[in-house]
Amino acid sequence: MATSLSLTEVAALKAEISSAKKTSMNSVRRLLTLMRETQRKDAQLVSTHGDAFLKSSAIKPVPDEERFLIYEQVAIAACECGDVEVADRCVSRLESRFPGSIRAGRLRGMVEEASGDIDGARATYAKLLQEHPSSQMVLKRMVAIERTAGDLQSAIKALNHFLNHYMADADGWAELADLYLEAGMHKQAAFCLEELILIQPHTFCHHLRLGETLLSYATNLEEKIVAYKHLCTACELCAGAHPRVLWSLLACVSSMASKKAGASSSGRGGATAAMEEIDVNVARLASKQLKKLYAKADPDLAATAQAAVLDMLGDIPDCLDD
Amino acid sequence: MAPPAKALFSRNSNGSDTDDKEFLIPEHMQNNARVVHWIRQYVSIVAGCVAGVLGLTNVVGFLVYPLFQLLAILIILSKTNSNVDKYFMSTANAAFGGFFDGAMTYLLFWTFVYDIAHLF
Amino acid sequence: MAAASTTGASSSSALSNSLTLDPAIRTWVLVPISLAMFLIGVIRHHASRLLATGPRKVELKAVRESQAVMRASRLRMNHAWISREASFRMRRAFFNDKKEGVLQQKVKNNNPQAQMMSDPSMMQDMMMKNMSMIIPQSLTFMWVSFFFSGFVMAKAPFPLTQKFRVMLQRGIDISGSLDVTYVSSLSWYFMNMFGMRGLFTLTLGEGNAIDDTALMQQQMEQAGAGMDKANAFVMERENLELIEARDGMVYEKAEERAAKVLKRALRAR
């Protein structure tokens, strides 16, 4: 797990390795271990230096367990930055040591993807899926490959199939929300974000994204109020410390108060009805907090920010105090 | 398998005091529990050896065990810099949970060392 | 080996205290038994790791069912965070709907015992675990009772009642007059068996294969009620029905809480 101690060590090692003329193999090995533990990624660094490490004599005393983990790590990094030759070499080594292993098979598929052979990769994964029909690893690759190929609809379909079975995968729901947003299907994206909230209710960014998504396709007051509630929750969870949350909140209030807002389904219409539903105090406090944050972090921008807030909330009575 | 990391990890990610909600990291809690368990076992073994060497029997011997467990608790307290809440769910749980975990180990080592030192 | 039965004890007083035993017993009985049990434990641990079968293949449908139960219970736990009308109702329908609800579907009752009979690899796994536990224990027991019986081996430094005499002094012929705390090798074997667990945790790390208590608990659980999917479905279904149609508390008071948090943030430096 990523404790702050190990993160600082990672940063220090990275700086040392990138700047040194002759890199120390011990540092490289230590960095690779730390990156595995803390799950930090830096594809180019791992690929180049990892490859050098594997070729050097420093690989000999490394115990088997660690050695093959390093092979896997370097292979994945090489695939990510396109060093196909490096990746191929690592994966062949793994395949010869672990024949028939599903982990090695997935890596082989990734190498094929990286080298552009999409159909070959698809065939590899299909074969793996036949032997291990419930493997999460392979199902995820099926989604990734469609995304690589640029086929949004198939990716969505594949991810839906995956999530239909592994319903607890938070990352999967987040990815599906991204895909839907890319495809412009806001309502479905909102559904995915709600699932995310059910899995991780205390994470403020889920509420933030949900609020923003709802706001972007809301047409009547009820829907905007739902968005507003979620943005309030996001604000509470982040203790009012993130400007983006505050901006979204103000945008939502502004949208609700706008005279152009559509009449709500229950017949009441217009700005005054909206203002009855919500507590203007929140918007006022949010604008004050924004002012404070900008004054602390970036005073030059403060004036522009203030103007924007005025623009959004100026029409609403009691919203701003000076 | 390697022994658990000897460090205690703080139980939530942000050290801020203004949060009402506490977000616990389960891996850290598990790690802390493992470390405490490890300390208790180790102390039990040491306690057993001490009691055996000193030739204590009966009631006195039984007293040594809680004595050493209290020592273990002191060690844990000092490691957490008296801020037990940051590392464990509750002070009582950290101090006294699993108090008798090492009892059998203690008995074993006590008998073993006692017999080697005093009986033969 | 120490097959001699009565050479060890030479008593200096008629009754209990201060028996002095031959040092040969210490070197050839006390230490070897402990050492042997420790080493056997280590070997068992490594052997079980080597022989462990890989991860079992799970059926995709089974995955879906168990995940559905978890998802339903999560919905029940966290429903307060999302809106009532669209979201919760829709999801409840997804689970409970008479015709198509996920939790309404007939599920194969996966009784672990039935599963054990049908799935050879799981059966093999169970057998391996049992064998690795029972065989070394019984072998060691027989070895100790055959070679090291009939003499006093150790003194327990803690007091014992007379009831223990039968168990702990088995095979020793001086009955009635000898202090109960003088025990035979068999009792040393038992003491080792219980006490070594802590030592194994230290040396072999967590998750070692020696922790018999965990294994026995697991077996008892399996013999009782297995993960009964049909029951779980019914339970979750009913729980979802019970949730009232009222906005979740978090959702309702979101504004007030946001206002409170913002006020606090503004007050802080």
Side-chain angles (χ1 to χ4, degrees), chain B residues 36 39-44 46-47 62-79 84 91-92 94-102 106:
Chain B
V36 169
I39 290 178
R40 284 199 199 286
Q41 294 292 333
Y42 197 74
V43 161
S44 307
V46 170
F62 277 119
L63 282 180
V64 171
Y65 180 70
L67 203 69
F68 271 81
Q69 287 294 331
L70 284 172
L71 186 68
I73 294 172
L74 285 177
I75 292 177
I76 295 172
L77 281 179
S78 78
K79 228 6 183 133
V84 185
T91 328
F96 299 111
F99 199 74
F100 292 106
D101 274 350
Y106 170 72

mmCIF file of all heavy atoms in Angstrom, chain B residues 36 39-44 46-47 62-79 84 91-92 94-102 106:
data_model
loop_
_atom_site.group_PDB
_atom_site.id
_atom_site.type_symbol
_atom_site.label_atom_id
_atom_site.label_comp_id
_atom_site.label_asym_id
_atom_site.label_seq_id
_atom_site.Cartn_x
_atom_site.Cartn_y
_atom_site.Cartn_z
ATOM 1 N N VAL B 36 0.186 -6.398 16.405
ATOM 2 C CA VAL B 36 -0.092 -6.582 17.834
ATOM 3 C C VAL B 36 -0.054 -8.061 18.196
ATOM 4 O O VAL B 36 0.522 -8.460 19.213
ATOM 5 C CB VAL B 36 -1.458 -5.966 18.194
ATOM 6 C CG1 VAL B 36 -1.868 -6.380 19.580
ATOM 7 C CG2 VAL B 36 -1.394 -4.470 18.104
ATOM 8 N N ILE B 39 3.482 -9.206 18.403
ATOM 9 C CA ILE B 39 4.145 -8.745 19.619
ATOM 10 C C ILE B 39 3.737 -9.621 20.792
ATOM 11 O O ILE B 39 4.574 -10.031 21.612
ATOM 12 C CB ILE B 39 3.793 -7.271 19.909
ATOM 13 C CG1 ILE B 39 4.448 -6.362 18.878
ATOM 14 C CG2 ILE B 39 4.245 -6.868 21.292
ATOM 15 C CD1 ILE B 39 4.112 -4.912 19.066
ATOM 16 N N ARG B 40 2.438 -9.924 20.874
ATOM 17 C CA ARG B 40 1.960 -10.726 22.004
ATOM 18 C C ARG B 40 2.613 -12.103 22.033
ATOM 19 O O ARG B 40 3.007 -12.589 23.090
ATOM 20 C CB ARG B 40 0.452 -10.895 21.919
ATOM 21 C CG ARG B 40 -0.293 -9.674 22.329
ATOM 22 C CD ARG B 40 -1.722 -10.013 22.679
ATOM 23 N NE ARG B 40 -2.533 -8.828 22.643
ATOM 24 C CZ ARG B 40 -2.483 -7.887 23.593
ATOM 25 N NH1 ARG B 40 -1.692 -8.017 24.609
ATOM 26 N NH2 ARG B 40 -3.235 -6.825 23.484
ATOM 27 N N GLN B 41 2.702 -12.731 20.856
ATOM 28 C CA GLN B 41 3.300 -14.063 20.814
ATOM 29 C C GLN B 41 4.761 -14.007 21.252
ATOM 30 O O GLN B 41 5.222 -14.816 22.055
ATOM 31 C CB GLN B 41 3.235 -14.616 19.376
ATOM 32 C CG GLN B 41 1.846 -14.880 18.872
ATOM 33 C CD GLN B 41 1.192 -16.029 19.599
ATOM 34 O OE1 GLN B 41 1.873 -16.913 20.090
ATOM 35 N NE2 GLN B 41 -0.114 -15.998 19.698
ATOM 36 N N TYR B 42 5.449 -13.016 20.723
ATOM 37 C CA TYR B 42 6.869 -12.885 21.036
ATOM 38 C C TYR B 42 7.074 -12.690 22.532
ATOM 39 O O TYR B 42 7.925 -13.321 23.155
ATOM 40 C CB TYR B 42 7.398 -11.685 20.249
ATOM 41 C CG TYR B 42 8.887 -11.647 20.126
ATOM 42 C CD1 TYR B 42 9.556 -12.514 19.270
ATOM 43 C CD2 TYR B 42 9.637 -10.730 20.859
ATOM 44 C CE1 TYR B 42 10.921 -12.470 19.156
ATOM 45 C CE2 TYR B 42 10.997 -10.691 20.741
ATOM 46 C CZ TYR B 42 11.641 -11.556 19.897
ATOM 47 O OH TYR B 42 13.004 -11.509 19.789
ATOM 48 N N VAL B 43 6.252 -11.813 23.089
ATOM 49 C CA VAL B 43 6.378 -11.516 24.515
ATOM 50 C C VAL B 43 6.049 -12.751 25.353
ATOM 51 O O VAL B 43 6.663 -12.992 26.391
ATOM 52 C CB VAL B 43 5.471 -10.322 24.881
ATOM 53 C CG1 VAL B 43 5.214 -10.282 26.356
ATOM 54 C CG2 VAL B 43 6.099 -9.033 24.423
ATOM 55 N N SER B 44 5.062 -13.543 24.876
ATOM 56 C CA SER B 44 4.718 -14.766 25.618
ATOM 57 C C SER B 44 5.905 -15.699 25.699
ATOM 58 O O SER B 44 6.174 -16.291 26.747
ATOM 59 C CB SER B 44 3.564 -15.501 24.944
ATOM 60 O OG SER B 44 2.492 -14.655 24.745
ATOM 61 N N VAL B 46 9.106 -14.942 25.449
ATOM 62 C CA VAL B 46 10.113 -14.370 26.350
ATOM 63 C C VAL B 46 9.697 -14.555 27.803
ATOM 64 O O VAL B 46 10.503 -14.929 28.664
ATOM 65 C CB VAL B 46 10.324 -12.880 26.012
ATOM 66 C CG1 VAL B 46 11.174 -12.222 27.072
ATOM 67 C CG2 VAL B 46 10.963 -12.735 24.656
ATOM 68 N N ALA B 47 8.411 -14.286 28.059
ATOM 69 C CA ALA B 47 7.897 -14.431 29.422
ATOM 70 C C ALA B 47 8.077 -15.858 29.922
ATOM 71 O O ALA B 47 8.482 -16.092 31.064
ATOM 72 C CB ALA B 47 6.430 -14.027 29.469
ATOM 73 N N PHE B 62 2.119 -17.820 37.271
ATOM 74 C CA PHE B 62 0.992 -17.337 36.485
ATOM 75 C C PHE B 62 0.940 -15.828 36.429
ATOM 76 O O PHE B 62 0.377 -15.259 35.512
ATOM 77 C CB PHE B 62 -0.329 -17.863 37.060
ATOM 78 C CG PHE B 62 -0.642 -19.251 36.594
ATOM 79 C CD1 PHE B 62 -0.774 -20.280 37.506
ATOM 80 C CD2 PHE B 62 -0.785 -19.529 35.246
ATOM 81 C CE1 PHE B 62 -1.059 -21.561 37.073
ATOM 82 C CE2 PHE B 62 -1.060 -20.812 34.822
ATOM 83 C CZ PHE B 62 -1.198 -21.836 35.739
ATOM 84 N N LEU B 63 1.501 -15.184 37.443
ATOM 85 C CA LEU B 63 1.471 -13.724 37.451
ATOM 86 C C LEU B 63 2.399 -13.130 36.402
ATOM 87 O O LEU B 63 2.189 -12.024 35.933
ATOM 88 C CB LEU B 63 1.880 -13.196 38.831
ATOM 89 C CG LEU B 63 0.803 -13.258 39.905
ATOM 90 C CD1 LEU B 63 1.355 -12.705 41.200
ATOM 91 C CD2 LEU B 63 -0.406 -12.454 39.469
ATOM 92 N N VAL B 64 3.435 -13.871 36.093
ATOM 93 C CA VAL B 64 4.413 -13.336 35.145
ATOM 94 C C VAL B 64 3.784 -13.051 33.796
ATOM 95 O O VAL B 64 4.118 -12.073 33.121
ATOM 96 C CB VAL B 64 5.589 -14.334 34.984
ATOM 97 C CG1 VAL B 64 6.496 -13.912 33.855
ATOM 98 C CG2 VAL B 64 6.356 -14.415 36.284
ATOM 99 N N TYR B 65 2.833 -13.902 33.418
ATOM 100 C CA TYR B 65 2.221 -13.729 32.093
ATOM 101 C C TYR B 65 1.527 -12.380 31.940
ATOM 102 O O TYR B 65 1.803 -11.630 30.997
ATOM 103 C CB TYR B 65 1.266 -14.892 31.812
ATOM 104 C CG TYR B 65 0.588 -14.795 30.476
ATOM 105 C CD1 TYR B 65 1.297 -14.973 29.289
ATOM 106 C CD2 TYR B 65 -0.768 -14.519 30.378
ATOM 107 C CE1 TYR B 65 0.687 -14.881 28.067
ATOM 108 C CE2 TYR B 65 -1.383 -14.425 29.158
ATOM 109 C CZ TYR B 65 -0.645 -14.606 28.008
ATOM 110 O OH TYR B 65 -1.258 -14.508 26.793
ATOM 111 N N PRO B 66 0.606 -12.029 32.860
ATOM 112 C CA PRO B 66 -0.021 -10.706 32.701
ATOM 113 C C PRO B 66 0.990 -9.578 32.793
ATOM 114 O O PRO B 66 0.851 -8.562 32.095
ATOM 115 C CB PRO B 66 -1.014 -10.629 33.872
ATOM 116 C CG PRO B 66 -1.208 -12.008 34.323
ATOM 117 C CD PRO B 66 0.037 -12.735 34.019
ATOM 118 N N LEU B 67 2.006 -9.782 33.615
ATOM 119 C CA LEU B 67 3.040 -8.748 33.745
ATOM 120 C C LEU B 67 3.670 -8.436 32.389
ATOM 121 O O LEU B 67 3.800 -7.283 31.978
ATOM 122 C CB LEU B 67 4.116 -9.266 34.705
ATOM 123 C CG LEU B 67 4.952 -8.213 35.398
ATOM 124 C CD1 LEU B 67 4.069 -7.472 36.386
ATOM 125 C CD2 LEU B 67 6.109 -8.862 36.130
ATOM 126 N N PHE B 68 4.052 -9.483 31.704
ATOM 127 C CA PHE B 68 4.696 -9.285 30.409
ATOM 128 C C PHE B 68 3.729 -8.776 29.364
ATOM 129 O O PHE B 68 4.105 -8.024 28.460
ATOM 130 C CB PHE B 68 5.360 -10.590 29.941
ATOM 131 C CG PHE B 68 6.756 -10.729 30.417
ATOM 132 C CD1 PHE B 68 7.021 -11.171 31.694
ATOM 133 C CD2 PHE B 68 7.820 -10.377 29.595
ATOM 134 C CE1 PHE B 68 8.320 -11.286 32.148
ATOM 135 C CE2 PHE B 68 9.117 -10.486 30.044
ATOM 136 C CZ PHE B 68 9.375 -10.939 31.325
ATOM 137 N N GLN B 69 2.462 -9.181 29.485
ATOM 138 C CA GLN B 69 1.496 -8.669 28.522
ATOM 139 C C GLN B 69 1.327 -7.172 28.704
ATOM 140 O O GLN B 69 1.166 -6.423 27.732
ATOM 141 C CB GLN B 69 0.142 -9.370 28.705
ATOM 142 C CG GLN B 69 0.135 -10.799 28.222
ATOM 143 C CD GLN B 69 0.312 -10.903 26.723
ATOM 144 O OE1 GLN B 69 -0.066 -10.017 25.967
ATOM 145 N NE2 GLN B 69 0.919 -11.982 26.283
ATOM 146 N N LEU B 70 1.363 -6.740 29.983
ATOM 147 C CA LEU B 70 1.285 -5.298 30.221
ATOM 148 C C LEU B 70 2.496 -4.598 29.608
ATOM 149 O O LEU B 70 2.386 -3.500 29.056
ATOM 150 C CB LEU B 70 1.219 -5.018 31.724
ATOM 151 C CG LEU B 70 -0.144 -5.298 32.348
ATOM 152 C CD1 LEU B 70 -0.071 -5.186 33.843
ATOM 153 C CD2 LEU B 70 -1.168 -4.321 31.804
ATOM 154 N N LEU B 71 3.636 -5.257 29.716
ATOM 155 C CA LEU B 71 4.831 -4.704 29.076
ATOM 156 C C LEU B 71 4.606 -4.539 27.583
ATOM 157 O O LEU B 71 4.957 -3.516 26.977
ATOM 158 C CB LEU B 71 6.013 -5.655 29.337
ATOM 159 C CG LEU B 71 7.369 -5.173 28.868
ATOM 160 C CD1 LEU B 71 7.793 -3.994 29.693
ATOM 161 C CD2 LEU B 71 8.390 -6.289 28.992
ATOM 162 N N ALA B 72 3.969 -5.544 27.001
ATOM 163 C CA ALA B 72 3.681 -5.462 25.567
ATOM 164 C C ALA B 72 2.779 -4.279 25.270
ATOM 165 O O ALA B 72 2.969 -3.553 24.296
ATOM 166 C CB ALA B 72 3.022 -6.762 25.092
ATOM 167 N N ILE B 73 1.785 -4.087 26.132
ATOM 168 C CA ILE B 73 0.875 -2.963 25.925
ATOM 169 C C ILE B 73 1.636 -1.652 25.989
ATOM 170 O O ILE B 73 1.403 -0.733 25.198
ATOM 171 C CB ILE B 73 -0.252 -2.992 26.973
ATOM 172 C CG1 ILE B 73 -1.123 -4.213 26.755
ATOM 173 C CG2 ILE B 73 -1.073 -1.727 26.920
ATOM 174 C CD1 ILE B 73 -2.127 -4.418 27.840
ATOM 175 N N LEU B 74 2.579 -1.574 26.933
ATOM 176 C CA LEU B 74 3.373 -0.354 27.031
ATOM 177 C C LEU B 74 4.171 -0.119 25.757
ATOM 178 O O LEU B 74 4.298 1.013 25.280
ATOM 179 C CB LEU B 74 4.325 -0.445 28.231
ATOM 180 C CG LEU B 74 3.668 -0.254 29.587
ATOM 181 C CD1 LEU B 74 4.693 -0.448 30.694
ATOM 182 C CD2 LEU B 74 3.054 1.133 29.686
ATOM 183 N N ILE B 75 4.722 -1.207 25.226
ATOM 184 C CA ILE B 75 5.471 -1.080 23.982
ATOM 185 C C ILE B 75 4.584 -0.517 22.882
ATOM 186 O O ILE B 75 4.946 0.405 22.156
ATOM 187 C CB ILE B 75 6.020 -2.451 23.536
ATOM 188 C CG1 ILE B 75 7.086 -2.934 24.504
ATOM 189 C CG2 ILE B 75 6.606 -2.370 22.139
ATOM 190 C CD1 ILE B 75 7.612 -4.307 24.167
ATOM 191 N N ILE B 76 3.370 -1.070 22.786
ATOM 192 C CA ILE B 76 2.462 -0.621 21.739
ATOM 193 C C ILE B 76 2.118 0.846 21.948
ATOM 194 O O ILE B 76 2.091 1.636 20.991
ATOM 195 C CB ILE B 76 1.182 -1.475 21.742
ATOM 196 C CG1 ILE B 76 1.524 -2.914 21.378
ATOM 197 C CG2 ILE B 76 0.157 -0.927 20.766
ATOM 198 C CD1 ILE B 76 0.377 -3.854 21.543
ATOM 199 N N LEU B 77 1.871 1.228 23.203
ATOM 200 C CA LEU B 77 1.529 2.617 23.464
ATOM 201 C C LEU B 77 2.642 3.553 23.068
ATOM 202 O O LEU B 77 2.420 4.628 22.526
ATOM 203 C CB LEU B 77 1.204 2.799 24.955
ATOM 204 C CG LEU B 77 -0.182 2.345 25.395
ATOM 205 C CD1 LEU B 77 -0.342 2.561 26.875
ATOM 206 C CD2 LEU B 77 -1.237 3.095 24.628
ATOM 207 N N SER B 78 3.867 3.124 23.368
ATOM 208 C CA SER B 78 4.975 4.009 23.036
ATOM 209 C C SER B 78 5.155 4.110 21.527
ATOM 210 O O SER B 78 5.485 5.154 20.991
ATOM 211 C CB SER B 78 6.266 3.523 23.692
ATOM 212 O OG SER B 78 6.780 2.438 22.957
ATOM 213 N N LYS B 79 4.890 3.027 20.824
ATOM 214 C CA LYS B 79 5.023 3.047 19.375
ATOM 215 C C LYS B 79 3.991 3.975 18.742
ATOM 216 O O LYS B 79 4.235 4.570 17.693
ATOM 217 C CB LYS B 79 4.791 1.639 18.867
ATOM 218 C CG LYS B 79 5.737 0.983 17.862
ATOM 219 C CD LYS B 79 6.965 1.638 17.456
ATOM 220 C CE LYS B 79 7.632 0.786 16.406
ATOM 221 N NZ LYS B 79 8.087 1.465 15.250
ATOM 222 N N VAL B 84 -3.350 6.447 20.540
ATOM 223 C CA VAL B 84 -3.835 5.121 20.160
ATOM 224 C C VAL B 84 -4.978 5.183 19.171
ATOM 225 O O VAL B 84 -5.103 4.371 18.267
ATOM 226 C CB VAL B 84 -4.297 4.342 21.403
ATOM 227 C CG1 VAL B 84 -4.673 2.934 21.026
ATOM 228 C CG2 VAL B 84 -3.197 4.317 22.424
ATOM 229 N N THR B 91 -9.038 2.070 22.280
ATOM 230 C CA THR B 91 -7.892 1.796 23.152
ATOM 231 C C THR B 91 -8.048 0.465 23.838
ATOM 232 O O THR B 91 -7.112 -0.313 23.938
ATOM 233 C CB THR B 91 -7.770 2.898 24.211
ATOM 234 O OG1 THR B 91 -8.215 4.106 23.647
ATOM 235 C CG2 THR B 91 -6.353 3.026 24.690
ATOM 236 N N ALA B 92 -9.244 0.214 24.342
ATOM 237 C CA ALA B 92 -9.474 -1.028 25.088
ATOM 238 C C ALA B 92 -9.193 -2.225 24.197
ATOM 239 O O ALA B 92 -8.558 -3.193 24.603
ATOM 240 C CB ALA B 92 -10.905 -1.062 25.590
ATOM 241 N N ALA B 94 -7.249 -2.388 21.592
ATOM 242 C CA ALA B 94 -5.829 -2.533 21.293
ATOM 243 C C ALA B 94 -5.077 -3.102 22.474
ATOM 244 O O ALA B 94 -4.194 -3.931 22.340
ATOM 245 C CB ALA B 94 -5.248 -1.174 20.907
ATOM 246 N N ALA B 95 -5.436 -2.634 23.668
ATOM 247 C CA ALA B 95 -4.677 -3.035 24.845
ATOM 248 C C ALA B 95 -5.015 -4.451 25.271
ATOM 249 O O ALA B 95 -4.130 -5.241 25.553
ATOM 250 C CB ALA B 95 -4.947 -2.064 25.983
ATOM 251 N N PHE B 96 -6.306 -4.757 25.332
ATOM 252 C CA PHE B 96 -6.682 -6.016 25.959
ATOM 253 C C PHE B 96 -7.241 -7.069 25.004
ATOM 254 O O PHE B 96 -7.492 -8.184 25.414
ATOM 255 C CB PHE B 96 -7.694 -5.749 27.077
ATOM 256 C CG PHE B 96 -7.129 -4.863 28.155
ATOM 257 C CD1 PHE B 96 -7.595 -3.580 28.326
ATOM 258 C CD2 PHE B 96 -6.094 -5.310 28.955
ATOM 259 C CE1 PHE B 96 -7.063 -2.771 29.300
ATOM 260 C CE2 PHE B 96 -5.554 -4.501 29.929
ATOM 261 C CZ PHE B 96 -6.035 -3.223 30.115
ATOM 262 N N GLY B 97 -7.445 -6.724 23.768
ATOM 263 C CA GLY B 97 -7.942 -7.737 22.851
ATOM 264 C C GLY B 97 -6.858 -8.773 22.627
ATOM 265 O O GLY B 97 -5.706 -8.435 22.452
ATOM 266 N N GLY B 98 -7.220 -10.028 22.667
ATOM 267 C CA GLY B 98 -6.220 -11.056 22.447
ATOM 268 C C GLY B 98 -5.220 -11.179 23.574
ATOM 269 O O GLY B 98 -4.084 -11.570 23.365
ATOM 270 N N PHE B 99 -5.651 -10.843 24.752
ATOM 271 C CA PHE B 99 -4.755 -10.892 25.906
ATOM 272 C C PHE B 99 -4.252 -12.297 26.161
ATOM 273 O O PHE B 99 -3.106 -12.507 26.513
ATOM 274 C CB PHE B 99 -5.519 -10.380 27.126
ATOM 275 C CG PHE B 99 -4.631 -9.949 28.251
ATOM 276 C CD1 PHE B 99 -3.933 -8.771 28.180
ATOM 277 C CD2 PHE B 99 -4.509 -10.730 29.384
ATOM 278 C CE1 PHE B 99 -3.121 -8.368 29.220
ATOM 279 C CE2 PHE B 99 -3.699 -10.331 30.432
ATOM 280 C CZ PHE B 99 -3.005 -9.145 30.361
ATOM 281 N N PHE B 100 -5.157 -13.251 25.990
ATOM 282 C CA PHE B 100 -4.782 -14.634 26.314
ATOM 283 C C PHE B 100 -4.370 -15.438 25.094
ATOM 284 O O PHE B 100 -4.331 -16.655 25.149
ATOM 285 C CB PHE B 100 -5.947 -15.327 27.031
ATOM 286 C CG PHE B 100 -6.181 -14.761 28.392
ATOM 287 C CD1 PHE B 100 -7.264 -13.936 28.638
ATOM 288 C CD2 PHE B 100 -5.287 -15.018 29.417
ATOM 289 C CE1 PHE B 100 -7.459 -13.390 29.884
ATOM 290 C CE2 PHE B 100 -5.480 -14.465 30.673
ATOM 291 C CZ PHE B 100 -6.570 -13.655 30.913
ATOM 292 N N ASP B 101 -4.109 -14.761 24.014
ATOM 293 C CA ASP B 101 -3.686 -15.479 22.820
ATOM 294 C C ASP B 101 -2.437 -16.301 23.053
ATOM 295 O O ASP B 101 -2.296 -17.403 22.558
ATOM 296 C CB ASP B 101 -3.386 -14.467 21.692
ATOM 297 C CG ASP B 101 -4.634 -14.136 20.938
ATOM 298 O OD1 ASP B 101 -5.640 -14.822 21.159
ATOM 299 O OD2 ASP B 101 -4.601 -13.209 20.133
ATOM 300 N N GLY B 102 -1.516 -15.741 23.775
ATOM 301 C CA GLY B 102 -0.237 -16.408 23.919
ATOM 302 C C GLY B 102 -0.148 -17.300 25.145
ATOM 303 O O GLY B 102 0.933 -17.752 25.504
ATOM 304 N N TYR B 106 2.987 -19.500 26.273
ATOM 305 C CA TYR B 106 3.672 -19.190 27.522
ATOM 306 C C TYR B 106 3.862 -20.449 28.359
ATOM 307 O O TYR B 106 4.956 -20.718 28.876
ATOM 308 C CB TYR B 106 2.863 -18.144 28.289
ATOM 309 C CG TYR B 106 3.334 -17.914 29.687
ATOM 310 C CD1 TYR B 106 4.525 -17.247 29.931
ATOM 311 C CD2 TYR B 106 2.603 -18.380 30.772
ATOM 312 C CE1 TYR B 106 4.969 -17.037 31.224
ATOM 313 C CE2 TYR B 106 3.041 -18.175 32.063
ATOM 314 C CZ TYR B 106 4.223 -17.501 32.287
ATOM 315 O OH TYR B 106 4.668 -17.311 33.561
#
